[in-house]
Structure formats: C-alpha cells, structure tokens
Amino acid sequence: MAKVSVYNMEGKEVDSIELDDAIFNVEVNEHLVHMAVLNQLANNRQGTQKAKTRSEVRGGGRKPWRQKGTGHARQGSIRAPQWTGGGVVFAPVPRDYSMKMNKKEKRAALKSALTSRVQENKIVVVDELKMDEIKTKKFAKVMSNLKVDKALVVLADNDKNVVASAKNIPSVKTASTDTINVYDILKYNTLVLTKDAVKNIQEVYA
C-alpha cells in the first residue's frame, strides 16, 4: 500500500496514512480516462443552438429580378445563403450530445485518475478542514500552508463554511466524495483530501 503524509491546516506533518491499492494503485487505463472526460464534457453541453435555413427565413418567395438581360447574376431568392439576411447553409439544430458510459467503466476511470495523482505526487491529505466562520482569506492561508495553488479539495461532508470560504478563490474547487469526477481530478494540479474523505472513497469504491 502507498503511504502518504497527513498534514494539518498549518501545513505541518502530523501523521501518515496508507492508501488502498485497489483504488490508488491500479493499472492506469488511459482510454477509459479519455472516455470519461469526453463523456462529462459532452453531457454538459446544452445542445440548444439553432439557426434558420433558407426554407425557414421569412420572405424571399419572389424572384428578385428576371433570369436574363439585367447584367446581374441570376438569383432565385433574396433569402439564399449568399444574401445578407439569408438562411444559413447546414444550419445547426437542437440535438442531444450526451454519451453513455457504464458504471464499471466510470469506476475504473476514476480509480485510474486517482492512481495517476498518487504516482505524480500530486495528492495532499489533510487531517481535517474545519472553519468557524466563512472567511476566504483564512482558507487561502490554509492552501498557502499546504503549498498548493490550483487544487481540487475533496471533503467527506458538505461543510458550508469551508465550501463558502473557497468559493471566491478561482483556482480552487471543492467537492464531496460522492461528486468527484475524472475531469476535475485531472483539471486541477493538486488533489487535496481530508482523512475522512479518503476513508469514504475507500469504502465506496473498494
């Protein structure tokens, strides 16, 4: 089992913890990780874009001038795509971009992402993250103590004070153990976990 240090909110090493090899030391499947990222990005797309084709644009029913003898190029409608105000060629229409990925694949991809963070030494475990009040400055100080900047902070429970304190820091995102995903794990430079969050992850995904 991989062994990592546990730090307090002051950035001092206070303990160590062993990570379950079944989650944090699996064979990294890059294909599944890639699929999981595509799946999430595709499912986030609204698919509500719409533009009108020449058949949907109002007007243009009459031929603007006769076919021959005017000196102009022949035209059939003032709503053809080459005209200002005309229809759009191959116009986008509302569609569903969502992709499907089965549970086993999602779980394997998540384990691969977590393993990659451990292998790259981009995981920090904190004994606890507790705040008596909502204070962005205090949370920023904790991140500074831990020597992390762009970080995904995973909590065991939805601590409102911690979440609200981190909300205004652009380079930090908070998540609970049941909402973590491959995209966020890979997007942020460092994965910060509380000891309770590690325990929850190992219980759920083992």
Side-chain angles (χ1 to χ4, degrees), residues 21-44:
D21 285 347
I23 298 169
F24 294 96
N25 191 25
V26 299
E27 184 178 348
V28 177
N29 190 324
E30 292 183 4
H31 174 64
L32 285 182
V33 171
H34 178 67
M35 278 179 60
V37 171
L38 286 183
N39 179 70
Q40 183 172 345
L41 293 178
N43 291 351
N44 285 344

Side-chain angles (χ1 to χ4, degrees), residues 78-86:
I78 61 169
R79 294 294 179 256
Q82 72 271 21
W83 285 71
T84 300

Side-chain angles (χ1 to χ4, degrees), residues 116-133:
S116 70
R117 294 289 104 175
V118 175
Q119 291 175 349
E120 295 166 6
N121 292 321
K122 291 183 177 179
I123 188 168
V124 175
V125 180
V126 187
D127 59 350
E128 65 173 2
L129 275 175
K130 296 288 182 185
M131 301 193 76
D132 299 328
E133 58 180 339

